[in-house]
Amino acid sequence: MTGILARFFAVVACGFVAFGSMALPSAAAEDGPAWTFAMYMCSDNDLDYWGQVNIDWLKSVGSTDDVKFVVLWDTSTGPANLWLVEKHSTVRMADFKYDGVETNMGDPEVLESLVDYLGSEFGSENLLIDLWNHGDDFRGICFDHDTGTEDALDYLTHQEIGDALSGKPVSVIAADGCGLGIIEASYEYVVRGVTAEWFVASENYVPLQGFPYETIGEDLVSDPGMSPKALSKVIVERYAEFYNSGWLTELAAIRLAEIRDVVDQLWDVTAILSNDMAIYRGLVASGRAQATMGWSQYGWEAYVDFPTIFEVISKRAPAGSALKAEAKELLMALEVAVPFVGPGYPAEVWGPEGLSVFFPPSHGSFKHNVFWKGSLYPTMQFAQDGWLDFLHSFYGI
């Protein structure tokens, strides 16, 4: 979906196709399916029409014995319902505790309950959880408009997502929302105990249509034995194909288990830079400038492409220096952590590499940050563990 309300295109209101109301038996199959593909769909805002579109795409594929498509859908016109998506139809899973309830999708208890329920219901070998809604970089996703005014809506913070999914048998986390492909989110999940192998997210905006669920679903149904890595790669590739004509967007698959190594390597680099910032400030500024992607025109100027910063630093660091060696180690770690990046066109012109980082364009926008909710940024573990210190050093604070 698009970013939070200040940064999205207008939505046209449309009618909805009625769902069936037959209850699904609660007993799980003795031998579970290979995959459960679950959408945590919060359209209790302005996204109902696009929720219906995406469900219709899944209905064109439909669940099989090996793949179950499930959607917890909270609309703006009624309570939440949990649906099993069959071929051309849906079946209500009425024994889920939040089915038929006016649900706060910004409550992490709902997310955790869904994961637990799907585990007992299907016992799938692999589970994908797709967080579907407006995304807002380091704030989070799933803004529920039944929970307050526009400035005080409840939503899932990255801390809440990390805690809700910590230790859960989730193979892939996908974010069908803007701006969640940030190193801050990936790191937050890892340090909070999320064991999912992959995180699929965009560095910038996701158009209103969202992911191309029809083609993704077709691929999964045709090859239900695909690994979490393979499915993550498919989602990225199908997304890039879908938005390859006039869309300044991209999607990447991030290997979460490698994020700690990336961050460890990062602190080695930033320590060198910070210790001699008077010498390296121009080099860092050059990297930051080159890492500015085309989507800054949509309001994402405070987020830049993370690998690009350090590619510039590595290239221009003095030959044989510790900085050059450490920057090279960081880039090697990033290649392992983010192997699949799918930019649409013309996004590919800028060469995004799959992870953004918070790096405001000036001292003033960093220190007096209002639009970007800068007061919240220190709550991110990535910020606490070293990035804020690095920014303070760069801006001379």
Side-chain angles (χ1 to χ4, degrees), residues 294-346:
W295 48 75
S296 62
Q297 65 185 287
Y298 297 113
W300 273 275
E301 66 274 3
Y303 268 91
V304 298
D305 190 66
F306 178 66
T308 299
I309 300 171
F310 296 97
E311 286 177 352
V312 172
I313 290 172
S314 176
K315 182 178 180 180
R316 299 184 184 178
S321 66
L323 177 59
K324 197 174 193 73
E326 294 294 351
K328 183 178 179 180
E329 291 292 326
L330 171 58
L331 293 173
M332 290 173 61
L334 279 165
E335 287 183 7
V336 175
V338 193
F340 309 123
V341 183
Y345 181 83

Side-chain angles (χ1 to χ4, degrees), residues 72-357:
L72 177 61
W73 189 18
D74 187 20
T75 72
S76 64
T77 58
N81 289 112
L82 184 62
W83 303 100
L84 175 66
V85 181
E86 300 280 19
K87 184 82 168 178
H88 305 309
S89 68
T90 54
V91 179
R92 184 176 167 190
M93 305 179 76
D95 59 339
F96 177 54
K97 66 185 291 186
Y98 290 104
D99 179 84
V101 177
E102 183 47 60
T103 300
N104 174 10
M105 299 290 277
D107 182 352
E109 161 63 23
V110 180
L111 176 60
E112 185 174 358
S113 294
L114 176 64
V115 172
D116 291 342
Y117 174 85
L118 294 175
S120 63
E121 185 69 28
F122 296 122
S124 301
E125 181 179 350
N126 294 292
L127 171 62
L128 178 145
I129 293 293
D130 181 6
L131 302 172
W132 185 106
N133 179 244
H134 292 300
D136 198 28
D137 38 78
F138 62 80
R139 290 177 71 197
I141 193 171
C142 294
F143 293 77
D144 193 311
H145 283 223
D146 278 346
T147 60
T149 64
E150 182 175 330
D151 293 330
L153 299 175
D154 198 8
Y155 60 94
L156 290 176
T157 67
H158 293 298
Q159 292 84 358
E160 289 174 332
I161 294 168
D163 290 344
L165 300 182
S166 177
K168 300 293 184 182
V170 177
S171 302
V172 180
I173 303 169
D176 192 345
C178 292
L180 269 67
I182 56 176
I183 191 168
E184 291 91 342
S186 298
Y187 187 65
E188 196 73 35
Y189 301 160
V190 170
V191 298
R192 289 179 177 271
V194 172
T195 56
E197 296 177 51
W198 294 88
F199 178 42
V200 180
S202 174
E203 290 188 63
N204 64 315
Y205 82 91
V206 176
L208 289 166
Q209 297 96 318
F211 292 179
Y213 291 100
E214 182 175 11
T215 53
I216 293 168
E218 287 172 348
D219 287 345
L220 183 56
V221 165
S222 66
D223 183 14
M226 69 171 64
S227 66
K229 176 181 179 180
L231 178 57
S232 299
K233 183 173 184 284
V234 161
I235 295 171
V236 169
E237 291 175 343
R238 289 300 192 182
Y239 184 92
E241 291 169 3
F242 191 70
Y243 292 113
N244 201 34
S245 180
W247 294 97
L248 191 60
T249 185
E250 63 79 51
L251 195 69
I254 301 157
R255 188 183 276 115
L256 286 177
E258 301 298 329
I259 290 297
R260 278 190 184 275
D261 184 44
V262 168
V263 174
D264 287 345
Q265 299 291 344
L266 173 64
W267 301 148
D268 290 340
V269 176
T270 56
I272 296 172
L273 294 170
S274 296
N275 287 338
D276 288 301
M277 189 57 75
I279 296 173
Y280 292 125
R281 183 172 284 109
L283 178 57
V284 175
S286 179
R288 191 239 174 257
Q290 193 161 318
T292 301
M293 299 289 108
W295 48 75
S296 62
Q297 65 185 287
Y298 297 113
W300 273 275
E301 66 274 3
Y303 268 91
V304 298
D305 190 66
F306 178 66
T308 299
I309 300 171
F310 296 97
E311 286 177 352
V312 172
I313 290 172
S314 176
K315 182 178 180 180
R316 299 184 184 178
S321 66
L323 177 59
K324 197 174 193 73
E326 294 294 351
K328 183 178 179 180
E329 291 292 326
L330 171 58
L331 293 173
M332 290 173 61
L334 279 165
E335 287 183 7
V336 175
V338 193
F340 309 123
V341 183
Y345 181 83
E348 63 183 18
V349 172
W350 278 267
E353 297 188 47
L355 271 179
S356 286
V357 68

Side-chain angles (χ1 to χ4, degrees), residues 13-71:
C14 293
F16 303 102
V17 178
F19 282 88
S21 59
M22 180 177 63
L24 183 77
S26 60
E30 186 171 331
D31 295 318
W35 278 95
T36 297
F37 189 111
M39 297 174 68
Y40 189 85
M41 181 178 281
C42 176
S43 69
D44 208 342
N45 41 52
D46 54 0
L47 295 174
D48 275 341
Y49 170 74
W50 301 101
Q52 183 67 67
V53 167
N54 286 176
I55 291 174
D56 285 345
W57 286 349
L58 279 183
K59 285 167 63 178
S60 71
V61 181
S63 297
T64 66
D65 289 342
D66 293 321
V67 177
K68 302 299 180 184
F69 296 111
V70 180
V71 182

